[in-house]
């Protein structure tokens, strides 16, 4: 049996707990052999990967000094040293890699010397924040445009993100939408029943950071709770805003009905989603430009039968057709979020119809198998063009 062509994917930390979407994409390859290049191995139990195909690159002993100098004195992104580029090229040769895929855009800026030196096609994928944070600073935008010029292909996880990259100067012919996706076989659709005694269950799963709009979720829940005092809200995930959000729930007088569940593994997450009637995700663009692509947790909720209420932000409208497969309001529209949630609670037939449409939407656009085939075809096209 002929050896499968090798695809090398670089992720600086393989893998942080909120990068399941990257793991699904890297390990989903069927007709190509995935290798992983990284500088730090994390969460091995959660994200198993064959050691013989995982390369941990060495770090400079004074990497902290390099970062400090570039941030505080040069006011420009740091780049790999020449010896780091040579080492990476030798490892790519040892792996017999035919293509290098770098996650994410902000990492690619540091890897410009490797991108330029690599003898094989290079793909750089952007997922959200890496196309927003600091992009309008000249010291960041200039090297970002170098990435656009040096890479063979730029991937974006939503059309909205692709449009933003083109506005930043990426040639349109280099940009491809590569949707991150979910394994639908793991997310069974279950119609939700109208709960007895108003025990509506609301849910949100994400990192506890500003762009996820969790303060708006709590505000909306407080409004619901006044009419349906038996309603509950569960927030899964962890992050720097946890204490602030707990305090906000207390100020709203709903702390006893809000549960901060922490980070959940996939089995427990599926149970929580299956028990929920509504999934909230009021994403917003933060002051530093941080924004979403398409939240995978939202797609999972749509696949499972929970009704989604979110915002017109990033790539979310590409997944949720407002009024058909979910309900969308403007960014930071707390009143609209509350009103929409209450309206759907009081009209369960409409809510259930939206849930059915949401499942169909995910099947049509965000199925893992379908999108992996698109990715493999993309890789093969680049490799054949380079041969």
């Amino acid at each position: 049996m002929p050896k499968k062509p090798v695809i090398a994917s670089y992720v600086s930390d393989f893998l942080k707990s909120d990068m399941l979407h990257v793991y699904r994409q890297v390990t989903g390859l069927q007709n190509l052999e995935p290798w992983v290049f990284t500088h730090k191995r994390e969460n091995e139990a959660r994200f198993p990967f064959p050691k013989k195909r995982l390369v941990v690159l060495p770090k400079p002993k004074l990497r902290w000094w390099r970062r400090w100098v570039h941030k505080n004195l040069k006011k420009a992104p740091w780049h790999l040293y020449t010896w780091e580029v040579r080492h990476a090229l030798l490892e790519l040769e040892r792996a017999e890699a035919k293509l290098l895929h770098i996650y994410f855009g902000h990492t690619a800026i540091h890897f410009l010397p490797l991108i330029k030196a690599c003898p094989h096609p290079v793909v750089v994928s952007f997922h959200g924040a890496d196309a927003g944070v600091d992009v309008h600073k000249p010291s960041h935008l200039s090297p970002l445009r170098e990435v656009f010029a040096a890479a063979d292909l730029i991937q974006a996880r939503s059309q909205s993100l692709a449009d933003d990259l083109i506005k930043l100067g990426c040639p349109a012919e280099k940009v491809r939408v590569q949707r991150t996706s979910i394994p639908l076989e793991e997310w069974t659709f279950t119609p939700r029943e109208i709960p007895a005694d108003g025990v509506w269950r609301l849910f949100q799963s994400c990192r506890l950071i500003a762009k996820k709009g969790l303060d708006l979720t709590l505000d909306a829940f407080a409004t619901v709770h006044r009419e349906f005092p038996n309603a509950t809200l569960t927030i899964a995930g962890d992050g720097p805003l946890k204490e602030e959000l707990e305090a906000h729930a207390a100020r709203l007088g709903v702390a006893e009905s809000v549960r901060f569940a922490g980070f959940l593994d996939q089995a427990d997450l599926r149970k929580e989603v299956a028990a929920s009637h509504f999934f909230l995700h009021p994403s917003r663009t933060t002051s530093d430009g941080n924004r979403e692509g398409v939240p995978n947790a939202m797609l999972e909720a749509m696949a499972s039968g929970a009704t989604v209420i979110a915002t017109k932000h990033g790539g979310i409208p590409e997944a949720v057709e407002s009024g058909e497969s979910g309900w969308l309001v403007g960014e930071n529209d707390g009143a609209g979020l509350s009103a929409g949630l209450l309206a759907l609670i009081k009209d369960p037939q409409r809510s259930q119809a939206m849930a059915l449409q949401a499942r169909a939407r995910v099947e049509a656009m965000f199925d893992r198998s379908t999108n992996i085939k698109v990715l493999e075809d993309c890789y093969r096209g680049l490799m054949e063009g380079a041969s």
Side-chain angles (χ1 to χ4, degrees):
M1 185 175 180
K3 177 179 169 60
K4 295 178 181 179
V6 171
I7 303 299
S9 294
Y10 176 83
V11 190
S12 58
D13 299 311
F14 188 81
L15 264 173
K16 294 188 179 300
S17 58
D18 60 343
M19 291 186 182
L20 176 60
H21 61 289
V22 175
Y23 182 74
R24 284 171 172 168
Q25 184 162 292
V26 170
T27 60
L29 299 180
Q30 298 295 311
N31 301 304
L32 302 170
E33 183 176 287
W35 280 56
V36 167
F37 282 55
T38 186
H39 273 98
K40 186 179 181 181
R41 180 65 163 119
E42 295 186 26
N43 295 308
E44 291 188 49
R46 174 168 165 75
F47 301 117
F49 195 83
K51 290 186 177 181
K52 67 179 181 179
R53 291 193 274 116
L54 190 143
V55 179
V56 180
L57 298 170
K59 295 180 180 180
K61 292 182 179 179
L62 296 178
R63 63 186 182 279
W64 62 270
W65 172 251
R66 174 173 65 184
R67 293 174 185 269
W68 188 90
V69 167
H70 280 265
K71 180 179 180 180
N72 296 287
L73 300 181
K74 295 188 175 183
K75 307 295 184 181
W78 59 268
H79 289 149
L80 294 177
Y81 292 131
T82 300
W83 70 263
E84 292 180 279
V85 173
R86 289 174 179 165
H87 185 91
L89 289 173
L90 286 172
E91 291 289 357
L92 287 168
E93 183 178 354
R94 181 179 69 83
E96 300 182 37
K98 301 301 182 185
L99 182 145
L100 173 63
H101 184 154
I102 297 175
Y103 297 79
F104 302 84
H106 61 274
T107 298
I109 287 176
H110 305 307
F111 276 56
L112 265 168
L114 177 59
I115 295 173
K116 293 176 179 180
C118 186
H120 304 295
V122 177
V123 174
V124 176
S125 56
F126 287 75
H127 293 244
D130 50 353
V133 176
D134 293 334
V135 292
H136 295 295
K137 294 180 180 179
S139 61
H140 189 92
L141 184 57
S142 178
L144 187 63
R145 287 175 172 166
E146 285 190 67
V147 170
F148 296 155
D152 294 274
L153 190 74
I154 302 296
Q155 290 184 346
R157 67 183 292 183
S158 70
Q159 185 60 54
S160 171
L161 197 55
D163 294 341
D164 288 343
L165 292 170
I166 292 169
K167 290 176 184 176
L168 290 171
C170 186
E173 64 272 14
K174 276 195 174 183
V175 182
R176 297 288 185 278
V177 174
Q178 178 63 52
R179 300 194 184 278
T180 52
S181 47
I182 63 171
L184 286 171
E185 68 276 6
E186 296 180 9
W187 293 89
T188 304
F189 181 87
T190 305
R192 304 305 197 258
E193 296 182 359
I194 300 174
D197 301 323
V199 187
W200 295 99
R201 300 183 186 277
L202 283 59
F203 187 67
Q204 184 168 352
S205 175
C206 59
R207 284 196 68 215
L208 308 189
I209 54 177
K211 75 174 178 180
K212 302 298 184 178
L214 289 149
D215 54 316
L216 299 174
T217 294
L218 287 168
D219 291 343
F221 175 68
T223 299
V224 169
H225 195 262
R226 284 193 286 271
E227 288 199 43
F228 299 93
N230 291 329
T232 64
L233 168 65
T234 297
I235 295 174
D238 208 347
L241 295 184
K242 182 178 180 181
E243 291 185 3
E244 181 179 326
L245 292 166
E246 289 175 332
H248 189 48
R251 287 193 299 271
L252 292 169
V254 295
E256 291 186 0
S257 298
V258 177
R259 180 168 66 97
F260 288 86
F263 179 79
L264 301 176
D265 62 27
Q266 281 292 285
D268 288 337
L269 180 62
R270 283 193 290 270
K271 290 177 183 177
E272 289 288 348
V273 174
S276 302
H277 300 93
F278 294 94
F279 182 92
L280 282 73
H281 212 291
S283 303
R284 56 155 73 97
T285 302
T286 58
S287 58
D288 63 356
N290 197 347
R291 65 276 189 76
E292 302 272 14
V294 179
N296 270 37
M298 183 190 76
L299 297 176
E300 291 165 350
M302 292 170 70
S304 77
T307 303
V308 167
I309 301 177
T311 47
K312 299 170 184 175
H313 165 93
I316 290 176
E318 296 169 39
V320 179
E321 299 168 293
S322 188
E324 295 184 25
S325 50
W327 190 261
L328 300 182
V329 301
E331 287 190 29
N332 296 305
D333 183 2
L337 189 72
S338 300
L341 179 56
L342 273 174
L344 288 175
I345 286 176
K346 294 175 181 179
D347 189 354
Q349 285 74 28
R350 188 181 188 195
S351 174
Q352 290 167 352
M354 286 182 179
L356 280 169
Q357 289 294 321
R359 173 70 188 199
R361 186 79 170 169
V362 174
E363 289 178 352
M365 295 182 65
F366 299 97
D367 172 59
R368 184 192 189 197
S369 298
T370 301
N371 283 286
I372 288 295
K373 185 180 184 305
V374 171
L375 181 64
E376 289 194 330
D377 289 346
C378 171
Y379 287 158
R380 285 193 179 277
L382 289 170
M383 290 187 292
E384 290 169 3
S387 61

